[in-house]
Amino acid sequence: MNPLDLISASLSSRKHTYNEKAFSCTAMEPSENATGNHALNSTGAEGSWEISDKTRLCRFLCYGSEGDIYTAREQGRVSTETAGALLSLLQEGRGAEAVEEAKRFAQGGRAVSPGPALFALALCSQHSELKTRQAAFKALREVCRDPAHLFSFVQYKKELKEGMKCGMWGRALRKAVSDWYNEQDALSLAAAVTRCKQREGWSHQDLLRLSHTKPATEAVALISKYVTKGWKEVQAAYEDKEKSEEVVKVLSYLEVLEKVKRSCDEVEVSGLIEEHKLEREQLLTDHLRSKQVWSALLKEMSLHSILKILGKMTSNKLLEPRSAETQTICERLQNESSLKKANIHPFSILLASENYKRGQGFQGKTKWEADGSILKAMDWAFYTSFLNVEPVGKRFVVAVDVGTSLTSIVPGTAISTAVAAAAITMIFARTEANTDVLAFSEGAVVPCSLSADMSLAEVTAELVKFPSGSTDCTLPVTWATENGKSVDMFIILTNNPLWTFTASPVESLKKHRHASGTDSKLVMCGLTSIGHAIADTEDRGLLSICGFDLGAFSVIRNLALDLI
């Protein structure tokens, strides 16, 4: 029996423009019916919002679960137990379709993490249908953009094969892995294999050996020999050999890396880093104790990486007030073109800023005193990076439950629920031209004086000024219906546990769909929730978000665009 059939038998069958206007904007006429994965009845008639296997697959590819709950910062490893829809599609002969969806989510920036798409490819690559297997292996090079992805794919293959009487390294896998190495630009490959040497218990030496890779070019043969045999073997093999221009370039690059490994001269190492754009993963641990080395690294290091290690660099005294390194970071954070090139989301900067401001890590005993100039630069970067948010082009209502205290901390972050709610409302109001921002408490929508030119601190102060009261999350939907608003997406932010609601917004949403003729959807964000949904519903237009992180924006965007 095919490995996939054995797995399936154990499962039950399952069939951007900055908006200068005030936050409250006039709604447009009802939009046309949603397109994409589903054909919908705009009135929300019975049956039009059923969740198909295709929808479940897309949810899985987006956030690793087929359910209607996205739990922020959850990094659980995916498995066949969470991929029932994928198995169903494979059984129906729709494997090639599943592969195409995996490619779209992996390449289009739709997925919260690459793991689910890599797992889907691994599962499809061992399906009994030849067409599906071929599609999966063909997609491997496009989805596995760096060695870490390739290592994950191979590990998923191993996990799926464990306990089964069949080998893993068949001809198709050997060819796919070989092609991954052979089809890359030689210098890019040299940089990749020296930057990410191993993951998931696999190394390049393992993959090249097990795939029986036959290098397609002399340059790839050189890199393969370097990985499997080492630099001395390479030197001996190419010392008196006639070399092509490409081989000379790769040899020179590898020679630089070997020179860095042997050097204790921080001036020399720094010069080589700047000249050849070397990265921190290509250096020795001892090199990273040098301020001069860090100064060289910071000039080319991605802003994403910088934001992750600000606290550690400050703790290690690599960043000190008015130092050259601190100045370099501030200049990069306050450079609009750098922010645009890095495509950093404002919420990502906020998370990093609040964590840096906190002065200590979430694990271990690392502590630091935040530098004022860096905090000021991060504040500037936060507002400037709104330009990086691509508008969805839908009509939104973002409603904040001010009836509960907003002083709690969003799990896994250093930001309060008040700051998180303020930032989320600002991001939608400044990037989506048709956004209404509401506050609700004590059985009514309450006046909330917000405008697009307010700062984060001002919006936060506006949200926390209301006294606590009862929560009724039907109010934003009812408000829209009674005021003749046609809303594509309701985003409700609450600090109340999602399972304590006395009234569910589900029925109110259905009434709004019928009254407005709009394919309205709703996302309930329990900012401090740990994994409970708003209702036991099979309505495809509803999702729950527990906690909040950067991935939550991808989930909301995908739902708004009818992709999940």
Side-chain angles (χ1 to χ4, degrees), residues 322-340:
R322 295 178 295 281
S323 68
E325 293 77 17
T326 298
Q327 183 64 27
T328 296
I329 287 178
C330 290
E331 287 174 356
R332 292 193 62 191
L333 285 171
Q334 295 179 102
N335 185 301
E336 188 174 318
S337 61
S338 295
L339 289 171
K340 187 174 182 179

Side-chain angles (χ1 to χ4, degrees), residues 282-537:
Q282 295 171 304
L283 307 180
L284 301 179
T285 302
D286 286 345
H287 294 146
L288 300 178
R289 296 189 177 97
S290 165
K291 288 186 179 181
Q292 190 164 353
V293 167
W294 275 104
S295 182
L297 284 172
L298 288 173
K299 293 177 182 179
E300 293 293 337
M301 185 183 293
S302 74
L303 283 177
H304 290 280
S305 297
I306 288 174
L307 291 176
K308 288 180 181 178
I309 61 174
L310 272 177
K312 183 178 180 180
M313 289 191 293
T314 305
S315 174
N316 293 340
K317 304 300 181 182
L318 295 169
L319 295 179
E320 294 185 305
R322 295 178 295 281
S323 68
E325 293 77 17
T326 298
Q327 183 64 27
T328 296
I329 287 178
C330 290
E331 287 174 356
R332 292 193 62 191
L333 285 171
Q334 295 179 102
N335 185 301
E336 188 174 318
S337 61
S338 295
L339 289 171
K340 187 174 182 179
K341 181 180 179 181
N343 196 30
I344 295 183
H345 194 281
F347 200 74
S348 181
I349 295 175
L350 177 65
L351 289 172
S353 176
E354 292 298 311
N355 183 53
Y356 183 63
K357 192 184 300 180
R358 182 171 180 260
Q360 65 181 68
F362 289 100
Q363 297 177 345
K365 299 180 181 179
T366 305
K367 293 185 178 181
W368 60 85
E369 185 174 344
D371 183 89
S373 62
I374 291 178
L375 287 173
K376 185 177 179 180
M378 294 177 83
D379 186 60
W380 188 93
F382 170 72
Y383 294 104
T384 305
S385 62
F386 278 93
L387 296 171
N388 293 338
V389 181
E390 183 182 357
V392 177
K394 301 292 184 178
R395 296 160 297 185
F396 289 89
V397 164
V398 184
V400 183
D401 173 15
V402 294
T404 54
S405 172
L406 292 172
T407 58
S408 303
I409 300 298
V410 177
T413 76
I415 65 174
S416 70
T417 49
V419 171
I424 295 164
T425 59
M426 286 179 69
I427 288 168
F428 281 96
R430 287 195 177 197
T431 61
E432 298 293 343
N434 292 283
T435 297
D436 288 295
V437 174
L438 308 176
F440 62 96
S441 176
E442 288 292 350
V445 172
V446 297
C448 196
S449 302
L450 302 176
S451 61
D453 59 353
M454 291 174 69
S455 68
L456 179 63
E458 290 170 334
V459 174
T460 303
E462 183 69 19
L463 293 178
V464 299
K465 74 178 185 181
F466 300 99
S468 298
S470 61
T471 293
D472 180 359
C473 286
T474 66
L475 289 171
V477 185
T478 302
W479 171 86
T481 305
E482 292 177 349
N483 286 276
K485 297 276 187 180
S486 294
V487 179
D488 295 310
M489 172 76 81
F490 291 93
I491 302 171
I492 298 178
L493 308 170
T494 180
N495 199 27
N496 211 12
L498 297 185
W499 64 90
T500 64
F501 297 155
T502 55
S504 169
V506 177
E507 290 304 317
S508 297
L509 181 66
K510 291 180 178 178
K511 290 178 182 178
H512 179 76
R513 289 172 181 165
H514 184 78
S516 65
T518 306
D519 296 327
S520 303
K521 302 179 180 72
L522 184 147
V523 174
M524 182 67 69
C525 301
L527 297 176
T528 56
S529 180
I530 55 173
H532 293 77
I534 57 174
D536 182 15
T537 175

Side-chain angles (χ1 to χ4, degrees), residues 153-170:
F153 171 81
V154 173
Q155 179 59 22
Y156 280 129
K157 291 280 291 182
K158 179 183 177 182
E159 292 170 4
L160 289 167
K161 290 288 186 179
E162 284 182 354
M164 299 178 184
K165 296 180 180 180
C166 53
M168 170 181 162
W169 286 92

